[in-house]
Amino acid sequence: MKPVQMIFSWMNPSHWIQTATHASPPHFHITTSLMYVAYSNHLATPCNEAGDDLPEGSILPSSHGGRTTADWAPYNNRIEFELAEFLYKRNQMPMAQIDTLMELWAASLLLQASRSSDFTGDDYETEPPCPPFANHDELHEIIDTTELGDIPWESLHIQYDGVRPPDNAPPWMDDTHEAWFCDPAAIVEHMLKNPDFEGEFDYKPYQQQNSAGLREYEDFMSGNWAWQQADIIAADPNTHGSMFVPIILGSDKTTVSVATGQTEYYPLYLSIGNIKNNVRRAHRNGVVLLGFLSIPKTTKEHRNTTAFRKFRRQLFHTTISAVLESLKSTMETPKVVQCPDGHFRRAIFGIGPYIADYPEQVLLGSIVQDWCARCTAQPTDLDGPAGPRTKEHRHLAIDCLSLDELWRDYGIVGDIIPFTDSFPRADINQLLAPDLLHQVIKGGFKDHLVTWVCEYLKLEHGATEADRILDDIDYRISLTPSFPGLRRFPQGRGFKQWTGDDSKALMKVYIPAIEGHVPQDMVRALTAYLDFCYLVRRAKLNTSDLNMVDEALSRFHHYRKIFQTTGVRKPGPEGVSLPRQHASKHYRELIELFGSPNGLCSSITEAKHIKAVKEPWRRSNHHNALGQMLLTNQRLDKLAASRADFEKRGMLNGTCLYDTWKQLRDRTNASNSPNVDFNHSLNVNLDTVTTTQALGTPGEFIHSHRHPNTPSSDQTIFPPLYGRTKVYHSAVAVFHAPSDPSGYRGMRREYIRSTPSWRTDGPRHDCILVSTGGNTIKGMSIARVMLLFSYADRDATYPCALVHWFLPLGDAPDLDTGMWIVEPEFVDETPLLQVIHLDTIHRLVHLLPICGSHFVPPGLHFSQTLDMFKSYYVSKHADHNAFDILFNSI
């Protein structure tokens, strides 16, 4: 058995969902797990380049432009392209270092040539050694000559043209405000024909139901909003048969350097709603940099004046309107575009959801701070009765009321014209996307609930004792056992700069850490809120899930009153009227409109900041950096377009080394490549491993496999173990987890570790879910892996694990935390161990210690946690797949 890790999988066939084709509407596509209904009325029908419908079954046009698999233009070969991509994109090597590398490369070629018997010194003069690029200038020049992805940058200059004071006009009135952008129509066309999106692209809205007949919401085109837009398009004879392309936008200021004068940029991003959510989250060119908006500056004297604030708001909307102008004609008149499958289709574009955090939503919706951008609820009672904010409501209110009345009674900034007023079928207040990162994760959880818990402890116990309790909470968090993807807090939560990933990591371990130090209803409030959070972060939600979302939110609203009765928050609606927390009330409606929220989260644009803004800024010389950043992004786009083209033509299969070797072999008929054996197993005597077992020896395991229908007894003589045994320190579980970071089709790989030393921090023995049948935890039991090994018996090799069982306490999860409680199982003070087959392992599970109201004694290490406590919570917050298994797992 050669591999170091034993690979096994546990996949439910019902998890696999075949994707319906979109080529011949209308149709129903029924599988064993769902019913897929694509939009009818002949939407998104293939056509030729002139826009005429094609007969069904027409041959696709070539998407290669007549280029062969030997055409690497503008590069000479694969080595040049991959080296250019490595140096410029992956390694981001400075220019001087590129020059040094090319010189060393040339020197090595010269040395190699000198070993030839017919080499003379004159050869260097006549035929000098040639590395792939002479220097950084040649590298950049070749990238710049790439035609694919070549969308030039344009500038936009805007000046104030309103009423000016007769004397001493503020300087901002004379300033010219510059914005840079790429033609959005060209960007969208380039995205639409990207072959990398083939198989991950919805050509029309669709609705799907699971086997229970429940409507499911997943990717953007599965929502009601896209279906409603398709109804409008299908009803118009001029647009009938066109493919709807929703334009998703996002913007957010980002700071690249505080030390050098608070250097800020205001990037504007674009995506399309047709690509799958997983593509948009993975940034496979599914989110692109559209432009940089202007950030108006002025003196302190004028910074807070009404006139400047109004100008700053209107400049934002006017700029976006001007940037998107090239799309306007295609929102009413179809444009022929090429799609990822190679077909041409008539396309109608439309303004879709806008990804933004709350301050950006205030700006976009032209509303007053502390009001909701989606409904008209009063800021002192945001969860009270309210109607929707719409374009029609806004226009009617502006016609009937004064600016002061609009501001005071409706939270409307009435002298600002939203950019969506310039485009058909667009209403910005109804297009604001749900923001999981800032509304739910960083807002409701970290900024609100975690802060409220700290404030409660200070009110209840005083500052000194509260600090002592908070230290114990931090200590409990630091004792969390290792788990894949877990962000450790070795010093607790005591650091200033919190990221979204930090907040997500704290969610996984926070409830067991505070339990015993806070009232029961606070634990229940946090449990309800995390249930809501994990439900809305699923990659796919059905009607039943949405009902559970409503129920969790209702529970949270009930139990959060504890923060008011303890004096942390004011009594009455005003004490809990917080815009980001209130936004949770709209999530069901937004999921039904736009699909799963994880495809429209601001974490997508924030992650894009790194590649599009921060890294290009670091590569610049920081003097007039924006121009250098624009050029860097343009080159990165060209490299990405070249890679997509080469991959489409099958030119990047295998590694560059293997491809080069294969070409040389074909030329010279070289011998086969050498084989490499990666066999690093350990041989052990299992008899010494199992001497302290209460039951479940390897002999019994082998007996059960040789005689599956014959149960063992006290008189059973188990076979001796003469086969070769190997011990491993890890195994790999593969399972379907689309809501978590995963690979192709949502498949996730997870390492199960059992090792005497893990990163020099002591032993690590992970815990697992084992399929055992019965009525507890969906037919699964909890165990800890003490040893991973394989055993050869006769002609078969058995991958096994020696496990220590954990027993559930009770037949249902704990009422306060919603988590199962387990304790290690012993027989006469001896651990209950057993050998199991790896096929019975479902996946890892995370156990968190139950500390109660007692302070944890000092001196413990997280590697000892699973040995030192009497009972543990089975965490349902370890990741989304664990939540799906353990939530309501009775």
Side-chain angles (χ1 to χ4, degrees), residues 8-206:
F8 65 98
S9 63
W10 180 274
M11 288 172 278
N12 188 334
S14 66
H15 290 167
W16 292 93
I17 299 174
Q18 299 179 6
T19 304
T21 60
H22 308 279
S24 55
H27 66 272
F28 292 81
H29 185 85
I30 302 176
T31 72
T32 57
S33 55
L34 62 83
M35 181 172 70
Y36 178 102
V37 184
Y39 192 91
S40 58
N41 290 329
H42 300 282
L43 202 69
T45 54
C47 64
N48 57 27
E49 292 187 65
D52 301 321
D53 285 339
L54 293 178
E56 186 174 348
S58 297
I59 298 176
L60 294 176
S62 171
S63 58
H64 302 158
R67 300 175 65 185
T68 67
T69 56
D71 185 1
W72 290 92
Y75 308 93
N76 291 318
N77 50 50
R78 178 174 180 175
I79 296 175
E80 282 194 7
F81 166 70
E82 293 210 19
L83 179 62
E85 186 182 49
F86 174 78
L87 294 177
Y88 196 84
K89 181 178 181 180
R90 294 171 58 190
N91 187 264
Q92 302 179 23
M93 185 175 289
M95 293 181 288
Q97 294 184 22
I98 293 176
D99 294 343
T100 301
L101 177 64
M102 293 302 107
E103 288 183 8
L104 293 173
W105 198 316
S108 68
L109 293 175
L110 179 62
L111 181 62
Q112 184 70 24
S114 69
R115 296 171 180 167
S116 174
S117 59
D118 56 353
F119 175 80
T120 65
D122 295 335
D123 292 341
Y124 180 79
E125 299 293 337
T126 57
E127 295 183 14
C130 296
F133 309 105
N135 48 42
H136 74 270
D137 289 325
E138 185 179 6
L139 168 66
H140 293 167
E141 181 181 350
I142 291 177
I143 296 175
D144 291 340
T145 57
T146 305
E147 296 181 359
L148 294 171
D150 188 12
I151 304 175
W153 286 94
E154 305 176 39
S155 62
L156 179 69
H157 299 84
I158 300 177
Q159 282 186 303
Y160 175 77
D161 63 352
V163 177
R164 300 169 62 92
D167 299 310
N168 299 323
W172 61 265
M173 291 187 176
D174 297 318
D175 290 342
T176 298
H177 303 278
E178 185 180 55
W180 286 87
F181 68 98
C182 292
D183 181 3
I187 288 178
V188 174
E189 287 186 55
H190 176 73
M191 295 179 71
L192 288 172
K193 67 180 180 182
N194 188 343
D196 190 38
F197 295 155
E198 186 174 358
E200 302 284 355
F201 192 94
D202 292 316
Y203 295 90
K204 62 185 68 177
Y206 66 93

Side-chain angles (χ1 to χ4, degrees), residues 153 182 187 267-270 287-292 608 612-613 633:
W153 286 94
C182 292
I187 288 178
L268 176 66
Y269 300 108
L270 181 147
V287 178
V288 298
L289 178 65
L290 174 57
F292 285 94
K608 190 69 177 178
V613 183
N633 275 286

Side-chain angles (χ1 to χ4, degrees), residues 78-79 655-665:
R78 178 174 180 175
I79 296 175
T655 65
C656 184
L657 176 61
Y658 176 78
D659 187 53
T660 303
W661 170 83
K662 186 173 179 293
Q663 293 180 37
L664 294 175
R665 184 196 63 181

Side-chain angles (χ1 to χ4, degrees), residues 232-367:
I232 298 173
I233 293 171
D236 186 345
N238 296 322
T239 59
H240 184 78
S242 300
M243 175 180 68
F244 178 51
V245 181
I247 307 300
I248 298 173
L249 300 169
S251 61
D252 184 29
K253 290 180 186 176
T254 183
T255 301
V256 294
S257 175
V258 177
T260 57
Q262 196 74 13
T263 305
E264 289 183 310
Y265 292 97
Y266 208 158
L268 176 66
Y269 300 108
L270 181 147
S271 183
I272 54 177
N274 307 82
I275 59 176
K276 302 288 189 182
N277 284 353
N278 65 299
V279 175
R280 193 175 301 109
R281 292 198 308 271
H283 301 293
R284 285 165 43 193
N285 305 317
V287 178
V288 298
L289 178 65
L290 174 57
F292 285 94
L293 304 177
S294 176
I295 303 178
K297 304 286 187 179
T298 190
T299 60
K300 293 181 180 179
E301 177 186 358
H302 302 98
R303 185 182 302 164
N304 294 318
T305 60
T306 301
F308 179 70
R309 290 202 303 266
K310 175 184 175 181
F311 170 74
R312 187 173 56 193
R313 293 190 188 103
Q314 192 59 64
L315 174 65
F316 173 84
H317 287 278
T318 301
T319 302
I320 295 181
S321 180
V323 167
L324 300 178
E325 182 63 29
S326 65
L327 292 173
K328 190 171 183 178
S329 62
T330 59
M331 294 180 182
E332 297 179 307
T333 303
K335 182 174 186 176
V336 177
V337 297
Q338 193 171 21
C339 298
D341 63 357
H343 271 304
F344 290 93
R345 289 177 175 83
R346 296 179 298 276
I348 284 288
F349 299 167
I351 302 296
Y354 203 112
I355 301 172
D357 60 13
Y358 179 70
E360 200 84 353
Q361 289 185 357
V362 169
L363 178 60
L364 283 160
S366 299
I367 64 164

